[in-house]
Amino acid sequence: MTMRKKIVAGNWKMNTLPAEGVELAKGVAAGRKDVCDCVTLIVCPPFTHLSSVIEALKGSNVEVGAQDCATETKGAYTGEVAAQMIAALGCKYVILGHSERRQYYGETSATLNKKMAEAYANNLTPIYCVGENLDEREAERHFDVVKAQIEEVVFNLTEEQFRNLVIAYEPVWAIGTGKTATAEQAQEIHAYIREVLRSKFGAAAEECPILYGGSCKPSNAGEIFAKADVDGGLIGGAALKAEDFLAIGKAF
Ligand code: 13P
């Protein structure tokens, strides 16, 4: 039996003004003591308040991640934020390939391969998101979609890089809709993801944390996290209230 890392990460998306973000982070830090040390808690604020949130969380045992990074290292890329800038602030994680980035900003596997390379070059741990949309689920193509998202990006990693990867399975139809995957649906596809990872990385696949995301909240987190291949959650809406986010952290 392997002891996989348990993770609850909050993706704040484009929410909170800087002062609100700092308050939220302080609220998470204040309640951290009630969440098992065995759970890694991560908050992912917008770029504009990464710095002040990191400052507010010093010494708190709450980690910080960014929500994206640039494909390039530095230079004439107006509006972009480089992985090395994020890392220099003290961020440890970066969410890559979120479905909102794939859907609204046209991110492809080619884009994501570059972002992953930048993340690793700067010692950031990517939280790589995969997941099917409603049409794909209804056509029962979800396994194939997720497999392709993994093969086209994760399979390009070295084993050493793979050992420093977190995967988040987020079905698009469950994001922000209030409609969660059932614990059984989550387990079924998480086990499948692990099988795909095993086919490439062997035993290292047993160590890879696979998080569930999509309308995860205090009332359903316990049931979902109890499943064998679910190692935590990537939380959107419920991460915007410290109390709810902490309650999800306690759901293991
Ligand atoms: P919700 O928890 O708001 O459904 O969002 C999930 C998500 O997209 C986290 O990245």
Side-chain angles (χ1 to χ4, degrees), residues 154-165:
V154 177
F155 278 20
N156 296 326
L157 302 181
T158 63
E159 183 176 329
E160 192 191 342
Q161 289 172 327
F162 173 69
R163 286 184 179 278
N164 194 24
L165 176 73

Side-chain angles (χ1 to χ4, degrees), residues 129-142:
C129 304
V130 299
E132 80 286 356
N133 64 31
L134 184 61
D135 288 348
E136 292 162 343
R137 167 67 65 164
E138 286 178 344
E140 294 185 4
R141 290 182 45 228
H142 46 295

Side-chain angles (χ1 to χ4, degrees), residues 3 26-27 40 47 68 76 83 102 115 118 153 174 180 191 194-195 205 215 225 237:
M3 278 301 291
K26 284 183 177 165
T40 301
F47 289 128
D68 187 25
R102 293 179 191 262
K115 293 188 176 191
E118 284 299 313
V153 177
T180 350
R194 201 174 305 286
E195 187 184 311
S215 299
F225 295 176

Side-chain angles (χ1 to χ4, degrees), residues 5 8-10 28 32 39-45 53-54 57 60-66 90-93 245:
K5 202 166 170 180
V8 174
V28 173
R32 175 70 178 99
V39 179
T40 301
L41 283 187
I42 307 168
V43 297
C44 303
V53 164
I54 288 169
L57 289 176
S60 69
N61 196 19
V62 178
E63 307 286 358
V64 181
C91 265
K92 297 216 175 119
Y93 296 86
F245 184 63

Side-chain angles (χ1 to χ4, degrees), residues 190-207:
H190 280 227
Y192 175 74
I193 290 169
R194 201 174 305 286
E195 187 184 311
V196 171
L197 296 173
R198 207 179 285 124
S199 74
K200 171 76 180 173
F201 296 103
E206 309 308 324
E207 311 292 333

Side-chain angles (χ1 to χ4, degrees), residues 145-156:
V145 168
V146 165
K147 187 178 186 200
Q149 289 168 335
I150 291 173
E151 282 179 346
E152 291 169 12
V153 177
V154 177
F155 278 20
N156 296 326

Side-chain angles (χ1 to χ4, degrees), residues 11 13 98 100 170 174-176 213-216 234-237:
N11 175 8
K13 308 191 180 183
H98 192 280
E100 287 149 17
E170 301 204 304
I175 296 177
S215 299
C216 194
L234 182 55
I235 318 301

